[in-house]
C-alpha cells in the first residue's frame, strides 16, 4: 500500500529528487519573497517554514494531497465527535474540553461545563483558605500523582507558566521508583499537602502505588481515618473506584472515555494547573487552545498552521528521508515540551498497521526528541551539524522574552537564530579549507571543519509564553499529530503496544518475589531476575 495516492506519488517523488540536490539558500535566491510566503500565523504563533527543502511545485503537490486526503473534513469529524477512534469505538473529543463547537454536543458539553464549574469552586476555596488540610492549615503544596497523559501535560504547563499568583506550589510524581515520591515529599508537610490522584483508568500501577504510599505518608504524619480524604483529589473515569479510597464526592472529578489520556490536560486532569497557577490562567490556556481549534477549522490548507506542520513532517519523513524529528525550545520554561510531545506523537502515531489492521509498507511516526536550548548545543548538536543522520527540526522561540536579565535573554534568542541559520548554511569545503589552513591543518584534515548544512527545519515563534500562546502551541501539535495520522491511514487514539509490557511486569513481580516458580522465562531474563533477587535478600 503506497502512502500517497498514485496521482501525487510521482509528483512528490520527482520534486524530492530535484530538491535533494538543491541548497535552501538557493531557493531564497530564486524566490526572494519566500520568507513571507512560507509563513503562517495563528493564535499568537508564527510558523516560518521557509528554511525547508521545499519549492512551489512540491508545496502545491502537498496542498493538493491535503485535499485529496480530506484533511479539512477529517478535522470536522474530530470536532464533530465522529467515532474516529475506531478500535475503541469512541470519538476523540478533546476539543470539546475547550468549548470548540460545543453546540454540536449539548449533553457532553453540559458535563464539561459542570465539571469546570465544580473545579473552579474547589480551586477558589483552596486559594481563599476556606478548604484546608485536616488540621485547618491552608494548603501550601499540591502533588500530582499520575503518569503519561495524567502527568506530562500539567507538568509542562506548570513548568512553563510558573507564577506567584497562588499560594500553592505544584509537584509532579510519576515514577513507581520510590525515590521519585520520597524525594518530593522530603521537604513537604503532610498538614499542608494536597494530592491529586490523576488516572483516567484508576488502574495504573505506578499511580496507585504512589497514591498508596502518599496515604501512608499522610497517616504517618498523624492524619488518620477519614481525615486523609481532606488531602486528596481524584480525577478519573472510574469515579466509583476513587470513592473506595474515601475521597469525598466533591473532590472526585470525572473524565470521559471520549478523551484520550495524552489529550486530557484540558479536562480535570489540569486541576493541578489551576491550583498552582490560578483559575484564570487555566481558563486562558483553554481559550488559547480554542482559538487554535477555530483557526484549524476555518483556515484553508495553505494557511492552516497545524496542517502545514503535518504536511512538512510528512514531506520530510516520507520523501526526504528524515527519521527523527528534533524539538528545540529556546526557553528553559518549555523544557518539558519534548517529553510531552514524545507521548503525544509517538504513542499516537507509533503504529505498524492501518486503522483497518493492514500492515503498513512505510514508516510511521519519526522518533521525537530534543531539549531546551542552549543546553543541547553543548552535547548533541554536533550530530545535528556533522553527523550522518537525517532529521527535521522545530526551533521554538518565544518573542517577548519576559522578565529576567535582558542581555542573557538577547543571547538566548541570538543562539536560536544562529542555530537556525547554521543548520541551513553549514560551512562549505572552501570555507573549511580556509579555516583549517589558518589553524595549521593539512588539506584533507580540513574536511573536519566542513558542515553540510541544508537541514530543513521550522522556526516556531510564540508572541510570548502566555497561557493563551501555550494553549495554542499544544493544540497545534495535537492537530498536527492527528493530520499526520490521517495521512498515514492510522488510528492515533489507541495504544495497544503498551499492554504487553504491563502484563509481563505483573508476571515478573511474581518471579522477583519468588511466588511463581512455574512462569517460564528465557535464560537471560531469569539470570537477571536471580541477580536482582540475590542483591535484595535481607
Ligand atoms: O500505558 C499508557 C497509558 O495508558 C497512557 O496512554 C496514559 O496516558 C497513561 O498510561 C496513564 O493512564 P491513566 O491515566 O489511566 O493512569
Amino acid at each position: 500500500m503506497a502512502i500517497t495516492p498514485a496521482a501525487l506519488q510521482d509528483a512528490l517523488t520527482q520534486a524530492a529528487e530535484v530538491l535533494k540536490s538543491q541548497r535552501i539558500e538557493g531557493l531564497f535566491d530564486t524566490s526572494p519573497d519566500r520568507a513571507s510566503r512560507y509563513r503562517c500565523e495563528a493564535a499568537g504563533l508564527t510558523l516560518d517554514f521557509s528554511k525547508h527543502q521545499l519549492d512551489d511545485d512540491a508545496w502545491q503537490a502537498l496542498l493538493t494531497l491535503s485535499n485529496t486526503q480530506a484533511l479539512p473534513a477529517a478535522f470536522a469529524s474530530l470536532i464533530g465527535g465522529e467515532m474516529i477512534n475506531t478500535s475503541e469505538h469512541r470519538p476523540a473529543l478533546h476539543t470539546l474540553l475547550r468549548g470548540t463547537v460545543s453546540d454540536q454536543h449539548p449533553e457532553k458539553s453540559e458535563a464539561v461545563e459542570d465539571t469546570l464549574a465544580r473545579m473552579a469552586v474547589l480551586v477558589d476555596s483552596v486559594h481563599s483558605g476556606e478548604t484546608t488540610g485536616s488540621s485547618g492549615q491552608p494548603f501550601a503544596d499540591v502533588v500530582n500523582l499520575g503518569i503519561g497523559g495524567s502527568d506530562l501535560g500539567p507538568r509542562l504547563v506548570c513548568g512553563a507558566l510558573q507564577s506567584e499568583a497562588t499560594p500553592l506550589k505544584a509537584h509532579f510524581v510519576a515514577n513507581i521508583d520510590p525515590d521519585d515520591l520520597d524525594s518530593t515529599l522530603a521537604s513537604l508537610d503532610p498538614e499542608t499537602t494536597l494530592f491529586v490522584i490523576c488516572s483516567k483508568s484508576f488502574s495504573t500501577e505506578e499511580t496507585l502505588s504512589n497514591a498508596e504510599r502518599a496515604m501512608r505518608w499522610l497517616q504517618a504524619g498523624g492524619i488518620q481515618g477519614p481525615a486523609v480524604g481532606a488531602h486528596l483529589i481524584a480525577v478519573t473515569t472510574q469515579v466509583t473506584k476513587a470513592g473506595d479510597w474515601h475521597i469525598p464526592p466533591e473532590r472526585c472529578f470525572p473524565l470521559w472515555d471520549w478523551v484520550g489520556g495524552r489529550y486530557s490536560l484540558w479536562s480535570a486532569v489540569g486541576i493541578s494547573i489551576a491550583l498552582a497557577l490560578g483559575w484564570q490562567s487555566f481558563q486562558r490556556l483553554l481559550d488559547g487552545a480554542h482559538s487554535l481549534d477555530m483557526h484549524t477549522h476555518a483556515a484553508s490548507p495553505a494557511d492552516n498552521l497545524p496542517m502545514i506542520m503535518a504536511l512538512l513532517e510528512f514531506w520530510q519523513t516520507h520523501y526526504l528521508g528524515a527519521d527523527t524529528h528534533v524539538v528545540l525550545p529556546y526557553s528553559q520554561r518549555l523544557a518539558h515540551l519534548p517529553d510531552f510531545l514524545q507521548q503525544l506523537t509517538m504513542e499516537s502515531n507509533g503504529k505498524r498497521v492501518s486503522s483497518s489492521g493492514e500492515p503498513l509498507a512505510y514508516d510511521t511516526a519519526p522518533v521525537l526528541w530534543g531539549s531546551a536550548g542552549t543546553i543541547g548545543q553543548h552535547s548533541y548538536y554536533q550530530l545535528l551539524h556533522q553527523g550522518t543522520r537525517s532529521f527535521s527540526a522545530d526551533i521554538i522561540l518565544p518573542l517577548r522574552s519576559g522578565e529576567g536579565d535582558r542581555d542573557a535573554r538577547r543571547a538566548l534568542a541570538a543562539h536560536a537564530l544562529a542555530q537556525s541559520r547554521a543548520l541551513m548554511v553549514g560551512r562549505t569545503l572552501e570555507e573549511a579549507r580556509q579555516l583549517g589552513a589558518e589553524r595549521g591543518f593539512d588539506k584533507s584534515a580540513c574536511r573536519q571543519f566542513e558542515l553540510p548544512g541544508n537541514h530543513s527545519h521550522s522556526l516556531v515563534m510564540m508572541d510570548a509564553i502566555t497561557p493563551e500562546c501555550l494553549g495554542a502551541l499544544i493544540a497545534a501539535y495535537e492537530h498536527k499529530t492527528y493530520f499526520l495520522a490521517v495521512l498515514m491511514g492510522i488510528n492515533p487514539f489507541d495504544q495497544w503496544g503498551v499492554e504487553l509490557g504491563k502484563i509481563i511486569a505483573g508476571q515478573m513481580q511474581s518471579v522477583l518475589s519468588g511466588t511463581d516458580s512455574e512462569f517460564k522465562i528465557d535464560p537471560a531474563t531469569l539470570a537477571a531476575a536471580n541477580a536482582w533477587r540475590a542483591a535484595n535478600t535481607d
Side-chain angles (χ1 to χ4, degrees), residues 455-472:
H455 296 294
S456 289
H457 63 280
S458 299
L459 187 58
V460 183
M461 289 168 277
M462 306 168 71
D463 288 351
I465 307 182
T466 58
E468 289 87 350
C469 287
L470 183 61

Side-chain angles (χ1 to χ4, degrees), residues 147-150 199-202 204 261-262 343 347 495 498 502:
I147 197 163
S150 297
S199 174
K200 182 178 167 185
S201 60
F202 226 74
T204 301
R262 51 195 172 273
Q343 187 199 14
E347 196 173 68
Q495 59 284 320
V498 301
K502 292 183 193 178

Side-chain angles (χ1 to χ4, degrees), residues 146-151 198-207 235-237 255 260-264 269 343 347 494-495 498-499 502:
I147 197 163
S150 297
D151 165 69
C198 206
S199 174
K200 182 178 167 185
S201 60
F202 226 74
S203 63
T204 301
E205 189 188 7
E206 289 89 338
T207 304
V235 181
T236 182
T237 54
L255 193 59
R262 51 195 172 273
Y263 300 85
S264 67
V269 165
Q343 187 199 14
E347 196 173 68
D494 59 16
Q495 59 284 320
V498 301
E499 290 198 348
K502 292 183 193 178

Side-chain angles (χ1 to χ4, degrees), residues 202-271:
F202 226 74
S203 63
T204 301
E205 189 188 7
E206 289 89 338
T207 304
L208 295 186
S209 160
N210 280 326
E212 273 168 22
R213 298 186 66 242
M215 298 248 293
R216 289 205 291 275
W217 178 78
L218 289 170
Q219 285 157 355
I223 304 166
Q224 304 290 336
V228 167
H231 294 259
L232 302 176
I233 292 175
V235 181
T236 182
T237 54
Q238 305 299 318
V239 174
T240 344
K241 279 196 200 167
D244 297 345
W245 287 59
H246 306 293
I247 305 175
E250 68 278 9
R251 303 288 192 84
C252 291
F253 293 96
L255 193 59
W256 304 277
D257 65 3
W258 41 266
V259 179
R262 51 195 172 273
Y263 300 85
S264 67
L265 77 95
W266 324 98
S267 69
V269 165
I271 196 162

Side-chain angles (χ1 to χ4, degrees), residues 35 153 164 300:
E164 309 283 295
S300 65

Side-chain angles (χ1 to χ4, degrees), residues 85-163:
N85 180 353
T86 44
S87 70
E88 295 178 316
H89 315 291
R90 296 168 184 167
L93 261 177
H94 41 283
T95 47
L96 183 60
L97 301 170
R98 50 238 192 184
T100 300
V101 298
S102 53
D103 52 331
Q104 293 185 21
H105 316 281
E107 276 174 32
K108 289 188 175 76
S109 177
E110 202 181 311
V112 169
E113 290 298 325
D114 177 59
T115 304
L116 286 172
R118 285 183 49 219
M119 285 165 69
V121 168
L122 180 62
V123 167
D124 279 353
S125 143
V126 168
H127 289 160
S128 69
E130 194 185 320
T131 292
T132 64
S134 53
S135 67
Q137 293 190 58
F139 289 114
D141 295 280
V142 56
V143 183
N144 189 83
L145 305 174
I147 197 163
S150 297
D151 165 69
L152 292 164
R155 193 190 284 259
L156 160 64
V157 175
C158 287
L161 302 174
Q162 297 137 355
S163 113

